[in-house]
Amino acid sequence: MFNVFKYVLFDLLRSKWSIVYTLFYVLSSSALLYFANSSTSAVAGLMNIVLFITPLVSLLLGVIYFYQNRDFAELLLAQPIRRTQYFLGNYLGLITALIANLLVGIGLPALLISNETTAFTELSILILSGVLLTLIFSALALLITLLNENRIKGFGYAIIIWLFFAVIYDGLFLMLLLYFNDYPLETFALVGVILNPMDLCRVLILLQLDLSALMGFTGAVFQQYFGSTFGFVTALTSGLVWVALPLAFLIKKGNTKDF
Amino acid sequence: MVIELSNIKKDFGKHKVLKGVDLSFSEGKIYSILGPNGSGKTTLMKSILGLVKPSSGAITVCGKDAINDFKQREFIGYAPQIARFPENLTVNEVIKLVTSIRKQPSNPDPLIQLFEIDSFRTQRLKNLSGGTRQKVNLALSLMFDSKIYILDEPTSGLDPINRIRLKELLLDLKQQGKTILVTTHILHLAEQISDELIFLLEGKIKYSGPTEELMSMTSSENLEQAIAKLIQQQTEKEQAHV
Ligand SMILES: Nc1ncnc2c1ncn2[C@@H]1O[C@H](COP(=O)(O)OP(=O)(O)OP(=O)(O)O)[C@@H](O)[C@H]1O
Ligand SMILES: [Mg+2]
């Protein structure tokens, strides 16, 4: 597994996509940290970028890259290596490369531009959310490529998944909230957030920034719930379940697939 | 027996590709698997490697389960019909990659010399000609000291000189006690190198046994004739059925 991982990691780190992605974060975080009037508003601005871009890049780059590797899967799977090790090697290589890009892209400007008002805890939570989103959406990307031999379709699913969580989900969620407004909304809202990894990360960051007041009634509920250690642990656990489920499904499907 | 298949069936959806194949392969022999396009030769080879998962049946390689385990691949060098590589790597880099994943000592130099691809070692795979790619494919599968070599259309894309080199190499490996499975559509090559022939037609074994036996059984002078007769028998049987 380690050798597959090593190959994938270095292959990705050398690729132009990796450089473009890092530069994108370097530029946007430098600009925000430099020009924003407060560290908190810089993090809030960066939050929106991280929440949308990290899943998009993980999905698209993941799908493109795994399809490219699919071409010579036969060469590697004809060697004495477990399929599980092969898939996990691919996955770990991708997430390590993407996380390295993220850390350098946000961490480096933050360290260089930092001053006594820089909110490092808030930045850390932001990066942690980015890492979590990378883990989740890379797993989904690998699952998509495994289940779809047709690349155009796979690519389409990646975009649909992103659109669903980034745009459609919130609309649906609001409509349901309005429709069921006779029922107790707290649990409903909590479950709604846990089922969407992007929302989950947004809530975590907003609570840390103490901007939950902006979120009105639901904000109060989240403050009460996620503000506690128990809430934080629940959020993190649900994030990890989001990673584990696609991976488990992937390993099951991967073991019966014909190459 | 080095490899044993019992009652192997494989369907891709509704399409039944292998319909109950029983075969065994022993040490120090060359087997040619023959059959028309789409008859299931590649599927059969990939099943032995665990790349394709049979719908039912059992396969053992050197006594190890080849369907659910992966250890059998330690004993097999495999050259796929269509070689696909990480296109941005050089020949040297792909040799290193496969060696590191296989975790066995590899000895590519004699093969590189034999096929005269030394000057391509630092070139990227995407820039190689079809025949050169095939030589790299063969080198990757033959560079480990394996008990078994499974070569799917090894001569495809090779010029006549290299075809002869490959033929001699295979005969040499056989002398060392290796078990070799090849598929080919070049019947006179099959006739020259094989100890045993396997003729696959529509997912079933139509003939399996020594080359000479097939000739005498079908009272043919060469393999072309013998194969033509086997196919004719099958057609007649089908017509009688209708
Ligand atoms: N992954 C797959 N999914 C669906 N059908 C497949 C798959 N792999 C092979 N087949 C089908 O199985 C049949 C046998 O294919 P196979 O590649 O084993 O034939 P072959 O004997 O090697 O042919 P050729 O001489 O052309 O190489 C073909 O009809 C092919 O379309
Ligand atoms: Mg074939």
Side-chain angles (χ1 to χ4, degrees):
Chain A
M1 178 168 84
F2 181 69
N3 289 310
V4 178
F5 163 75
K6 216 168 64 181
Y7 166 75
V8 170
L9 177 63
F10 286 110
D11 196 31
L12 275 167
L13 287 181
R14 277 186 308 189
S15 82
K16 59 177 184 294
W17 295 112
S18 198
I19 298 165
V20 169
Y21 183 47
T22 311
L23 272 181
F24 170 80
Y25 271 136
V26 169
L27 291 179
S28 43
S29 55
S30 309
L32 281 163
L33 286 168
Y34 194 78
F35 292 114
N37 357 349
S38 75
S39 183
T40 306
S41 63
V43 174
L46 257 180
M47 172 188 83
N48 284 317
I49 297 177
V50 170
L51 285 181
F52 288 113
I53 296 298
T54 316
L56 185 67
V57 170
S58 304
L59 278 168
L60 292 189
L61 191 70
V63 167
I64 293 173
Y65 187 71
F66 291 137
Y67 274 134
Q68 185 189 316
N69 277 9
R70 168 72 185 83
D71 279 337
F72 60 92
E74 201 184 334
L75 175 73
L76 303 187
L77 288 174
Q79 313 305 329
I81 144 175
R82 277 180 214 276
R83 284 192 179 187
T84 310
Q85 291 183 330
Y86 169 77
F87 291 124
L88 289 182
N90 267 287
Y91 176 69
L92 293 176
L94 177 75
I95 57 167
T96 310
L98 290 176
I99 290 171
N101 298 153
L102 182 75
L103 284 179
V104 172
I106 296 182
L108 207 63
L111 287 179
L112 291 178
I113 305 177
S114 68
N115 52 41
E116 62 278 8
T117 64
T118 307
F120 276 107
T121 332
E122 295 161 3
L123 268 176
S124 316
I125 292 282
L126 181 74
I127 291 177
L128 182 72
S129 301
V131 169
L132 194 59
L133 290 171
T134 305
L135 297 184
I136 294 171
F137 287 92
S138 300
L140 290 174
L142 187 51
L143 188 61
I144 292 172
T145 55
L146 189 80
L147 297 180
N148 297 284
E149 288 287 322
N150 181 335
R151 296 173 185 212
I152 311 266
K153 253 191 184 169
F155 212 73
Y157 286 134
I159 291 175
I160 290 172
I161 287 182
W162 182 80
L163 277 178
F164 178 76
F165 286 124
V167 184
I168 302 169
Y169 188 91
D170 287 349
L172 281 179
F173 186 48
L174 268 179
M175 269 165 49
L176 285 176
L177 277 180
L178 290 177
Y179 190 74
F180 288 107
N181 67 3
D182 298 340
Y183 295 85
L185 289 179
E186 290 87 344
T187 342
F188 194 67
L190 282 176
V191 172
V193 163
I194 283 175
L195 290 181
N196 180 347
M198 289 192 202
D199 282 349
L200 194 67
C201 290
R202 178 180 295 123
V203 168
L204 279 182
I205 300 168
L206 287 178
L207 286 172
Q208 194 56 232
L209 292 180
D210 222 9
L211 288 178
S212 50
L214 292 182
M215 294 157 64
F217 163 70
T218 32
V221 176
F222 293 139
Q223 181 81 69
Q224 207 178 21
Y225 186 73
F226 287 122
S228 65
T229 319
F230 177 68
F232 189 79
V233 171
T234 319
L236 213 58
T237 314
S238 0
L240 292 178
V241 170
W242 263 107
V243 181
L245 279 183
L247 283 182
F249 192 54
L250 180 119
I251 285 168
K252 183 166 169 283
K253 282 283 166 192
N255 280 328
T256 54
K257 190 179 159 70
D258 295 318
F259 280 91
Chain B
M1 287 296 148
V2 184
I3 307 174
E4 267 180 295
L5 290 86
S6 63
N7 201 17
I8 290 299
K9 294 184 179 154
K10 176 64 190 175
D11 3 289
F12 292 108
K14 277 188 191 151
H15 185 24
K16 291 189 168 61
V17 174
L18 298 177
K19 304 170 186 167
V21 169
D22 293 287
L23 282 172
S24 49
F25 300 92
S26 53
E27 211 175 276
K29 282 190 179 175
I30 299 183
Y31 296 83
S32 286
I33 304 176
L34 309 175
N37 294 138
S39 53
K41 304 181 294 295
T42 300
T43 307
L44 185 71
M45 289 185 152
K46 285 187 173 178
S47 305
I48 298 171
L49 279 143
L51 289 169
V52 161
K53 302 287 178 183
S55 316
S56 67
I59 303 178
T60 57
V61 173
C62 302
K64 289 191 156 62
D65 171 20
I67 295 179
N68 300 308
D69 207 353
F70 67 100
K71 290 258 166 60
Q72 90 277 11
R73 292 187 218 127
E74 285 171 11
F75 307 114
I76 309 176
Y78 169 61
Q81 182 168 6
I82 299 168
R84 294 202 173 112
F85 302 114
E87 297 289 317
N88 280 322
L89 294 192
T90 63
V91 175
N92 273 338
E93 284 168 339
V94 85
I95 289 174
K96 249 171 68 187
L97 174 67
V98 171
T99 307
S100 75
I101 286 177
R102 196 168 179 106
K103 297 192 184 112
Q104 289 173 355
S106 64
N107 187 14
D109 296 344
L111 296 158
I112 301 264
Q113 264 143 40
L114 178 71
F115 292 125
E116 296 177 335
I117 47 175
D118 202 35
S119 56
F120 298 104
R121 289 182 82 142
T122 51
Q123 287 202 16
R124 287 178 196 275
L125 285 149
K126 64 176 168 207
N127 299 331
L128 299 185
S129 76
T132 311
R133 290 173 75 92
Q134 179 60 8
K135 291 175 184 172
V136 174
N137 186 23
L138 290 170
L140 286 174
S141 59
L142 297 169
M143 69 182 182
F144 298 100
D145 183 23
S146 310
K147 279 190 171 163
I148 303 163
Y149 296 104
I150 297 185
L151 313 174
D152 201 348
E153 304 255 2
T155 55
S156 78
L158 293 189
D159 60 34
I161 294 176
N162 284 294
R163 235 182 277 165
I164 293 171
R165 286 176 179 152
L166 175 68
K167 190 178 92 184
E168 277 159 8
L169 176 63
L170 294 184
L171 291 171
D172 190 38
L173 287 169
K174 173 185 131 174
Q175 289 306 316
Q176 297 170 32
K178 312 293 189 187
T179 304
I180 301 170
L181 278 61
V182 293
T183 63
T184 181
H185 293 294
I186 305 176
L187 294 180
H188 64 90
L189 177 80
E191 201 173 340
Q192 285 170 353
I193 61 169
S194 341
D195 300 289
E196 303 219 2
L197 292 176
I198 292 152
F199 186 68
L200 206 58
L201 196 62
E202 289 162 15
K204 283 196 187 131
I205 306 280
K206 280 290 142 208
Y207 176 81
S208 150
T211 315
E212 315 80 58
E213 211 166 275
L214 175 65
M215 309 276 205
S216 59
M217 193 181 93
T218 54
S219 44
S220 316
E221 282 156 20
N222 57 38
L223 197 50
E224 268 96 350
Q225 240 179 36
I227 298 287
K229 282 187 181 163
L230 279 182
I231 295 178
Q232 202 184 347
Q233 278 174 15
Q234 172 80 6
T235 329
E236 277 164 12
K237 234 192 255 170
E238 271 166 18
Q239 277 164 355
H241 211 72
V242 176

